[in-house]
Amino acid sequence: MKGTINQDAKTLESRANSIRVSAILKKYTMVIALVVVFIFFTALTGGKMLYAQNISNLLLQNAYVLVMGCGMLLCILTGGNVDLSVGATLCLVGAIAAQLMSNTSLNAVLVIIICLAISAVIGTWQGFWIGYMHIPPFICTLAGMFLFRGLGRVVLESKTVSISNKLFLNIFSSYITVPGVDAGEIHWSAMIVGVVVAAVLLVRTITGRAKKARKGYAMDSAASAFSKVILIDLLILFYCWKLANYKGIPVMLVWVLGILLLYAFITSKTAFGRYFYAVGGNEKATKLSGIDTRKVYFAAYCSMSILAGLSGLLVAARIGSVNGDTGMSYEMDAIGSCFIGGASAYGGSGTVPGIVVGAILLGVINQGMSIYGLDNNWQYVVKGAVLLIAVIFDVVSNHKTGKA
């Protein structure tokens, strides 16, 4: 009898361990995929992916994806909805900025404020029709995609307009240099920032666990928690070391981190942020609980347009010019980063850290294929396959295949 009980206990423990491993693999599937893809392209390109310039450019080339991905996440959370007009909005705002700086004597800061205000007006327009007039988001934003792209080309007069305003370029595309610290070939300020951030994360983990322990909250094992934060710290230090060996910390990184931290706080720490999840989970129940879902939709699309406008300024500063095709298909990159990063195609689930993983994964694939010299047509094939696989994984893993 005792032997049978022991055997049953071992069986249950084995099943529990199996379930635990399965849950971990499911939770970190895309992180594992990112590591595998990065190693693959590093080997394929002969280590060129690890060059300091390429590591730095990985962020700069995908800054717009990270920024717009935050706004797209809110749209997707409301029920798998997307905004197809963000690439066109990016083009229109970039065109207005370029023309204002080329043809007027307005200060660059004032131009930025005007452009963000125009982005807010566009978001208000779309948010009104979607949130309060119940126009399907797909139709409304599809119309916006044509409308704003056309207006952008009208503003540009079908020309390519270059941007040479130094203040504007410094605000978005310069590098942080600390006198005395960054005098040599290595920009030590980047490493100092990396060490500080790594230390803060470690201290927060220790104090957070101590606080939960005092209140009796359930926690992950100490080994799991500390191994995770140590791994993140090592990645931060590695990234900062690469930045230090190139030009230091790009100002664009500050903009991107600011947006990411803001939206991570909104979606995870505020009641309003949870409304987006509630609407995507069950809109009828959300209405019955007293939440005005119209405001939720309005906020999602207004926020998306503002971030698309900011991305237009980032892209214009990085490239140094704007034309009628600027931002073409950028909406697909933003949507793809969300779905690849774990956002559900049905709404109600998704996180900002997931967007970061999805955007970096797309960025690594794009950069790796470009360095390797893969034909541009095949690059589209690979990106489409990755997106399809990510959505299929979401549907199958969450048992949403429609089976009885």
Side-chain angles (χ1 to χ4, degrees), residues 265-300:
F265 176 78
I266 290 172
T267 54
S268 63
K269 301 295 184 181
T270 67
F272 183 69
R274 306 311 299 178
Y275 291 168
F276 296 96
Y277 293 90
V279 170
N282 192 324
E283 185 173 350
K284 290 183 179 179
T286 305
K287 285 182 179 179
L288 292 173
S289 66
I291 297 172
D292 189 346
T293 57
R294 298 175 301 173
K295 291 182 180 179
V296 175
Y297 280 106
F298 178 86

Side-chain angles (χ1 to χ4, degrees), residues 165-181:
N165 188 295
K166 291 184 179 180
L167 177 59
F168 180 83
L169 296 176
N170 287 337
I171 289 174
F172 293 111
S173 60
S174 62
Y175 290 81
I176 297 174
T177 301
V178 179
V181 179

Side-chain angles (χ1 to χ4, degrees), residues 75-144:
C75 298
I76 291 173
L77 287 177
T78 60
N81 302 304
V82 296
D83 188 338
L84 297 176
S85 68
V86 293
T89 301
L90 182 152
C91 176
L92 174 58
V93 172
I96 293 171
Q99 290 287 41
L100 285 176
M101 286 183 286
S102 297
N103 301 317
T104 70
S105 58
L106 291 177
N107 181 272
V109 175
L110 182 57
V111 170
I112 292 170
I113 294 172
I114 291 172
C115 288
L116 292 179
I118 292 172
S119 304
V121 171
I122 293 173
T124 301
W125 166 263
Q126 298 207 125
F128 170 76
W129 290 112
I130 294 171
Y132 290 92
M133 301 306 292
H134 307 294
I135 304 297
F138 180 87
I139 300 300
C140 186
T141 59
L142 180 63

Side-chain angles (χ1 to χ4, degrees), residues 103-394:
N103 301 317
T104 70
S105 58
L106 291 177
N107 181 272
V109 175
L110 182 57
V111 170
I112 292 170
I113 294 172
I114 291 172
C115 288
L116 292 179
I118 292 172
S119 304
V121 171
I122 293 173
T124 301
W125 166 263
Q126 298 207 125
F128 170 76
W129 290 112
I130 294 171
Y132 290 92
M133 301 306 292
H134 307 294
I135 304 297
F138 180 87
I139 300 300
C140 186
T141 59
L142 180 63
M145 181 174 71
F146 294 111
L147 175 63
F148 304 136
R149 175 71 61 183
L151 288 174
R153 289 176 175 173
V154 169
V155 170
L156 291 167
E157 299 176 344
S158 300
K159 300 176 183 177
T160 297
V161 179
S162 61
I163 298 174
S164 58
N165 188 295
K166 291 184 179 180
L167 177 59
F168 180 83
L169 296 176
N170 287 337
I171 289 174
F172 293 111
S173 60
S174 62
Y175 290 81
I176 297 174
T177 301
V178 179
V181 179
D182 299 326
E185 293 184 1
I186 297 179
H187 292 71
W188 288 106
S189 61
M191 276 306 299
I192 293 171
V193 171
V195 171
V196 171
V197 172
V200 169
L201 288 177
L202 183 60
V203 171
R204 284 196 62 183
T205 300
I206 295 172
T207 56
R209 287 184 61 83
K211 186 177 180 180
K212 288 182 178 180
R214 287 196 303 270
K215 295 184 177 182
Y217 293 161
M219 295 185 294
D220 294 334
S221 65
S224 173
F226 285 110
S227 60
K228 180 180 176 180
V229 73
I230 289 173
L231 178 60
I232 293 173
D233 282 352
L234 290 175
L235 290 174
I236 290 173
L237 293 174
F238 169 77
Y239 181 67
C240 289
W241 174 247
K242 289 296 182 179
L243 293 181
N245 280 272
Y246 183 51
K247 294 181 179 180
I249 299 175
V251 173
M252 202 170 289
L253 175 61
V254 179
W255 283 98
V256 172
L257 285 179
I259 297 297
L260 291 174
L261 292 173
L262 174 62
Y263 276 75
F265 176 78
I266 290 172
T267 54
S268 63
K269 301 295 184 181
T270 67
F272 183 69
R274 306 311 299 178
Y275 291 168
F276 296 96
Y277 293 90
V279 170
N282 192 324
E283 185 173 350
K284 290 183 179 179
T286 305
K287 285 182 179 179
L288 292 173
S289 66
I291 297 172
D292 189 346
T293 57
R294 298 175 301 173
K295 291 182 180 179
V296 175
Y297 280 106
F298 178 86
Y301 286 90
C302 187
S303 166
M304 180 70 261
S305 293
I306 293 172
L307 292 184
L310 175 60
S311 297
L313 300 176
L314 293 174
V315 171
R318 183 178 68 83
I319 298 176
S321 64
V322 181
N323 60 47
D325 290 330
T326 298
M328 189 71 75
S329 78
Y330 279 15
E331 59 275 358
M332 297 307 161
D333 290 331
I335 294 169
S337 68
C338 292
F339 287 140
I340 293 172
S344 173
Y346 298 90
S349 67
T351 63
V352 171
I355 292 172
V356 175
V357 173
I360 294 176
L361 179 56
L362 275 178
V364 168
I365 292 172
N366 287 333
Q367 190 179 69
M369 292 189 297
S370 297
I371 294 174
Y372 180 69
L374 186 66
D375 182 77
N376 189 58
N377 296 322
W378 282 106
Q379 291 187 28
Y380 280 103
V381 173
V382 173
K383 288 168 67 175
V386 170
L387 177 58
L388 179 61
I389 291 170
V391 175
I392 290 174
F393 175 79
D394 167 61

